[in-house]
Amino acid sequence: MLHTHLTTCWKLGYPIVGAPMAYVGKGRLARAVSEAGGLGMLGIGSKDSVEYIAREAQIARGDDQGRFGIGLLAWSLASRPEQLEAALAARPFLISISFGSLAPYAARVKQEGVLLASQVHSREEALAVVQDGADLLVVQGTEAGGHTGHVSTLPLLQSILDVVEVPIIAAGGIATPRGVAAALAAGAEGVWIGTCLLASPECDTTEDARSRIIAAQESETVLTRAFDVAQGFAWPPEYPGRALRNSFSEQWHERVYELATDQEAQQQLREAVARKDYDLAQIYAGEAVGLVRQRLPAGEIVRRLGEGTEQLLRERYAALLGEA
């Protein structure tokens, strides 16, 4: 068994947390990750209702009152405080609040006795959220799918491990036992995975999206604000989104200021999203997409990562230290 804060204190079977992916990471996916020995997370988007949170949380919890987490957006909570109250009412094991200040919400989460995490993208962010009371940091590199920062996982992880004392887990570019082992060997207590779950049947996406994910190479993503700007999402500009390249991103990635006033292009994207036309609509995925080659159940992915990491670390430990 791997011995980290997540397995010894949280009692997880594997030090693996499923990333909260809004609109595709729902209760069914969270449940599958938790049942396999990790911690599954619900991703809550800015437009999701309190009824949605309650319904999907019930699915994630299951009849046996299993543990799960909920991921919220700090910038959305500023105008949608009811999302936090709905999340707390669902009694999750962990709440993650990211992409904005943690300060207005930390005391409320602590009051309910729920563990609090935050995704961070710089040393300064890490120090700030620790000061605000985070129990866990998710150090997310720019390789990650969806919204993220601009620094790669390994440099960011090294810089933050040296300056904070709360447990840290790594996110971005991790999709095989080798990636998990690298993060743990560096000092992380676990990993936060998203892209490698996108082709699983429990992920709430289409077969076309799964096929595109499986076919994509690691070089076929782009970190862009084009999809947010076209759809009028109020994401802070310092957090662009990493998605598979398509004709819309190719046309507008470097022209987002023009896109902000081009109503025809905005309507074109809205219609493509509605009909799930991925030649134009976004599929958020990280650079680890090139490692996703099968439609595997989420639970099997978690188990393969956990067991493969333990075996790999045992072998490498023996080889590197010259032990039989």
Side-chain angles (χ1 to χ4, degrees):
M1 179 179 179
L2 296 166
H3 295 275
T4 78
H5 183 82
L6 272 63
T7 61
T8 59
C9 296
W10 290 14
K11 307 299 183 185
L12 298 184
Y14 306 112
I16 296 171
V17 180
M21 300 182 288
Y23 310 117
V24 298
K26 299 183 179 181
R28 186 178 174 219
L29 180 61
R31 175 70 173 171
V33 170
S34 294
E35 284 188 312
L39 181 72
M41 299 279 289
L42 296 178
I44 306 303
S46 61
K47 298 184 182 301
D48 285 330
S49 68
V50 297
E51 292 81 11
Y52 171 87
I53 295 172
R55 182 180 69 248
E56 295 302 320
Q58 180 58 45
I59 296 170
R61 182 183 300 107
D63 295 335
D64 60 354
Q65 303 300 303
R67 291 189 298 182
F68 65 98
I70 297 177
L72 300 167
L73 305 173
W75 61 265
S76 175
L77 293 180
S79 59
R80 302 275 323 270
E82 71 274 13
Q83 287 188 329
L84 177 57
E85 292 306 313
L88 290 169
R91 305 304 303 166
F93 177 75
L94 176 73
I95 282 182
S96 170
I97 301 176
S98 309
F99 307 107
S101 176
L102 198 63
Y105 316 108
R108 180 73 184 98
V109 176
K110 298 280 191 177
Q111 182 182 22
E112 295 297 324
V114 178
L115 290 176
L116 179 61
S118 187
Q119 296 175 74
V120 297
H121 309 88
S122 69
R123 183 190 300 218
E124 292 72 26
E125 256 190 325
L127 293 172
V129 300
V130 169
Q131 183 69 31
D132 290 337
D135 299 300
L136 176 79
L137 298 189
V138 182
V139 175
Q140 186 189 56
T142 192
E143 301 97 320
H147 293 82
T148 187
H150 298 271
V151 182
S152 296
T153 303
L154 191 54
L156 189 61
L157 184 62
Q158 294 172 82
S159 69
I160 294 175
L161 279 166
D162 286 339
V163 297
V164 303
E165 295 183 358
V166 301
I168 286 173
I169 61 178
I174 298 169
T176 71
R178 294 188 185 279
V180 181
L184 298 183
E189 300 292 336
V191 297
W192 179 273
I193 60 168
T195 296
C196 62
L197 298 172
L198 289 175
S200 69
E202 296 90 349
C203 194
D204 193 22
T205 188
T206 66
E207 279 304 311
D208 183 21
R210 290 187 183 93
S211 295
R212 290 170 185 253
I213 289 159
I214 290 169
Q217 301 299 317
E218 66 276 4
S219 59
E220 294 176 343
T221 69
V222 61
L223 189 64
T224 185
R225 295 185 61 230
F227 298 113
D228 290 330
V229 169
Q231 294 174 92
F233 293 146
W235 273 92
E238 62 266 33
Y239 304 118
R242 185 171 296 283
L244 297 186
R245 295 179 183 273
N246 63 14
S247 60
F248 192 87
S249 65
E250 291 298 307
Q251 181 177 2
W252 293 106
H253 170 51
E254 296 183 355
R255 300 168 57 202
V256 291
Y257 293 107
E258 296 175 50
L259 180 58
T261 58
D262 193 319
Q263 296 184 5
E264 182 178 349
Q266 294 170 20
Q267 181 62 25
Q268 181 185 42
L269 181 60
R270 284 194 294 269
E271 292 174 355
V273 169
R275 66 176 183 269
K276 297 180 172 31
D277 174 5
Y278 300 115
D279 288 335
L280 297 171
Q282 71 273 11
I283 298 176
Y284 285 119
E287 292 181 340
V289 71
L291 300 168
V292 181
R293 287 293 171 259
Q294 301 178 70
R295 291 170 172 80
L296 293 176
E300 184 173 347
I301 293 169
V302 171
R303 287 186 289 271
R304 285 188 178 195
L305 287 176
E307 293 168 9
T309 298
E310 182 174 355
Q311 180 179 350
L312 179 63
L313 285 172
R314 289 183 187 280
E315 293 171 353
R316 291 296 292 158
Y317 178 88
L320 289 169
L321 298 182
E323 297 186 3

